[in-house]
Amino acid sequence: MKIDALHCLTEQAVADLLTLKMAGARDRPFCGKCTYGDIHAMAHVILDRCPEIHPQRGYLAIFTMDRAVIAAAIVAALAGGPILILPHDISDGALMNLASDPEHTWVVTDPDRTLPDRFKELFVTPDGHSRTPIPLNAGIDPGAPLLKLYTGGSTGTPTIWTKTVENIMGEALFHVGEHQISRDDVVVATVPPYHIYGLLFSVVAPLLAGARVVDQTCGFPHEIVNTVTDTSATILVSVPAHFRALKDHDFSGHSLRLAFSSAGVLDEADERNFRQRNNVFVMEVYGSTETGGIAFRCRGRGETFFSPFDVIETRIAEESLKICSPFISSEISRNDAGFYLVPDRVKKCSGNRFAILGRSDAVVKIAGLRVDLDRVGSVLKAMDGIRDALVLAKAVPRGRAFDICALVEGNCTPGNIRQFLSGRLEAAGHPRWIKIVDQIPMTRSGKYDRAAVAALFEAEVG
């Protein structure tokens, strides 16, 4: 698909969404008990109430995992309503951090949450508004801000990224077409809707396709299995940590036709186990909040390497990947040709495909030698008794400059690990500090909680 064609399709898809032109859309279920007609009714609630304070487009912070409410807020924003703010989580701490920003006034939240005085709480329900579709007109252009996402909760330093109409709606529409998502699909997600990947695949893409979304965000293996089978789900949206947790579980009598994985590279053994147990292909999506999606692969179709989306231009030199994409956030600096250097190391393969080697910041110097922390982690994961491992480098005030720390999930001892690594890694790559845990801390988005992991080693390294 050419970028110009995506522009046109996105504008048409937004227009169709705002006018509910899809056949039978009014009474079609979207999420839980909410229909597409309810989504439009709630969008009118937002449009009616927010301009009383902000006639120039204000901000609406979303502190709920209710996908129907988030969908309604997106529809309202497309019609000229407030710009959405999606935090990195919906904790009280994240809410207090938001309270320090004077731009954010309106808040939609779950019942029984106490808000700081400076916020105006907005209750969004379809009650009192007609569920008969009331046509809305596009109120902002494709390049205008649609929402802002806070990311980086896993590192302890949240960053905010602006996403335009084209960034979000264009990418979601691309996936709708590429993966043939339709009104016949039922989506179950294990990742929350305030994460970019969860937002795209469990709110926006289904909204554009007329599909149905299960309102529960599952986290434990038995919950995922039961929800998928009980709802006759056709699409599973998940993350590598959850695919690993599902390795001993079967979806008996399921209706799945496709599964998506993002927020990290999916382990080959975990993918193969899931595919062979359930006869379902897994589509791995590579990208980030700031870049949007970049590439995908499906090992079940024999794809060893990642292929860029056909609306994205790539340039690979040595181990660097540069992209020119319609999904990149406006805050990202690009060169004069419009390309952005992705902070991951890659290896160019046949055609324009590539393999992901690891994070650029995962290569550090220890005693003057380059050490690839991702490779150290891969070697650790090959040891019997180790389920998972995260390796990081912590700065020390003198001498080696960095110490390597390894957090290992499994049944083993530091002595066993050191013996296993002997001869498999150069001495500089051996972790100085090793901790064994039952489970590596994870964020609700399914990523390693790097801030929590680093804190476990503070006393030793500090």
Side-chain angles (χ1 to χ4, degrees):
M1 183 189 300
K2 300 296 184 182
I3 291 181
D4 289 344
L6 182 64
H7 290 332
C8 295
L9 289 173
T10 301
E11 290 184 351
Q12 186 60 55
V14 169
D16 290 346
L17 176 64
L18 292 174
T19 56
L20 274 182
K21 286 187 175 179
M22 298 172 289
R26 171 186 170 183
D27 299 319
R28 186 184 309 161
F30 172 70
C31 183
K33 296 181 179 180
C34 281
T35 66
Y36 279 78
D38 292 330
I39 298 298
H40 268 240
M42 290 192 290
H44 278 281
V45 172
I46 296 171
L47 289 169
D48 290 346
R49 296 179 183 174
C50 287
E52 295 177 5
I53 299 296
H54 288 298
Q56 301 299 320
R57 278 196 93 196
Y59 291 89
L60 176 62
I62 306 294
F63 273 81
T64 178
M65 291 178 62
D66 189 327
R67 289 176 169 83
V69 170
I70 296 173
I74 288 173
V75 171
L78 291 169
I83 298 167
L84 308 188
I85 306 294
L86 296 173
H88 61 86
D89 64 47
I90 56 174
S91 67
D92 288 342
L95 182 60
M96 293 308 297
N97 289 339
L98 193 66
S100 64
D101 191 331
E103 286 188 321
H104 310 145
T105 300
W106 289 104
V107 175
V108 175
T109 186
D110 293 320
D112 303 323
R113 183 192 290 269
T114 302
L115 296 179
D117 291 340
R118 63 169 307 278
F119 283 133
K120 303 289 186 181
E121 187 167 11
L122 181 65
F123 295 98
V124 180
T125 69
D127 297 338
H129 283 255
S130 172
R131 286 169 171 77
T132 300
I134 303 173
L136 294 165
N137 295 318
I140 54 176
D141 63 62
L146 178 68
L147 55 87
K148 294 176 180 285
L149 296 111
Y150 278 91
T151 64
S154 63
T155 64
T157 310
T159 303
I160 194 165
W161 301 101
T162 301
K163 307 302 287 188
T164 66
V165 173
E166 184 173 59
N167 289 161
I168 295 296
M169 308 309 288
E171 182 174 353
L173 187 65
F174 170 81
H175 289 295
V176 167
E178 186 71 24
H179 308 296
Q180 299 181 342
I181 302 172
S182 75
R183 59 181 297 174
D184 296 325
D185 281 310
V186 179
V187 180
V188 166
T190 73
V191 61
Y194 49 78
H195 181 271
I196 180 64
Y197 169 56
L199 179 71
L200 285 170
F201 284 90
S202 72
V203 178
V204 186
L207 188 64
L208 290 173
R212 183 164 68 88
V213 180
V214 176
D215 52 1
Q216 181 182 1
T217 300
C218 313
F220 297 102
H222 68 278
E223 290 180 332
I224 300 171
V225 171
N226 291 340
T227 303
V228 165
T229 54
D230 292 348
T231 61
S232 299
T234 60
I235 296 176
L236 174 64
V237 179
S238 196
V239 292
H242 291 157
F243 281 106
R244 172 161 292 185
L246 286 167
K247 65 180 180 179
D248 296 323
H249 296 77
D250 294 328
F251 293 79
S252 179
H254 69 81
S255 301
L256 289 176
R257 69 174 182 87
L258 182 62
F260 289 99
S261 177
S262 189
V265 177
L266 179 60
D267 185 82
E268 183 176 359
D270 294 337
E271 183 279 334
R272 182 173 58 251
N273 181 284
F274 180 87
R275 170 166 44 88
Q276 292 178 349
R277 276 179 173 272
N278 304 293
N279 195 29
V280 177
F281 285 175
V282 181
M283 182 65 64
E284 294 178 68
V285 181
Y286 167 66
S288 66
T289 300
E290 58 269 32
T291 64
I294 296 173
F296 43 44
R297 72 174 170 190
C298 180
R299 287 189 174 109
R301 300 193 306 216
E303 299 169 3
T304 304
F305 308 114
F306 284 88
S307 297
F309 301 166
D310 58 13
V311 294
I312 293 177
E313 187 177 352
T314 61
R315 293 179 181 175
I316 300 176
E318 296 180 346
E319 292 186 351
S320 68
L321 169 65
K322 295 180 181 179
I323 63 169
C324 183
S325 166
F327 309 141
I328 291 180
S329 293
S330 58
E331 290 91 350
I332 288 184
S333 60
R334 283 155 270 195
N335 65 19
D336 293 340
F339 282 82
Y340 166 67
L341 177 62
V342 177
D344 283 318
R345 295 175 295 119
V346 303
K347 176 183 178 181
K348 183 176 177 59
C349 303
S350 58
N352 64 345
R353 294 184 291 274
F354 59 87
I356 300 170
L357 300 179
R359 296 157 54 104
S360 297
D361 61 3
V363 177
V364 297
K365 279 198 172 182
I366 306 291
L369 300 175
R370 282 168 53 94
V371 175
D372 185 340
L373 302 179
D374 289 331
R375 179 171 178 269
V376 176
S378 296
V379 173
L380 282 170
K381 292 175 187 178
M383 176 179 168
D384 289 340
I386 291 181
R387 296 186 298 273
D388 201 1
L390 177 61
V391 179
L392 50 81
K394 294 287 291 181
V396 292
R398 60 187 181 278
R400 294 159 58 95
F402 291 99
D403 276 350
I404 298 179
C405 305
L407 189 66
V408 173
E409 179 182 308
N411 300 312
C412 52
T413 66
N416 297 148
I417 292 173
R418 297 187 193 283
Q419 184 177 3
F420 176 80
L421 294 179
S422 179
R424 289 180 170 85
L425 289 174
E426 294 184 355
H430 284 225
R432 182 177 179 84
W433 307 102
I434 299 174
K435 284 185 178 292
I436 314 295
V437 293
D438 292 331
Q439 186 171 5
I440 295 177
M442 308 290 285
T443 67
R444 295 192 67 173
S445 300
K447 295 183 177 181
Y448 294 122
D449 190 334
R450 292 179 176 271
V453 172
L456 294 175
F457 291 97
E458 286 297 333
E460 288 86 348
V461 179

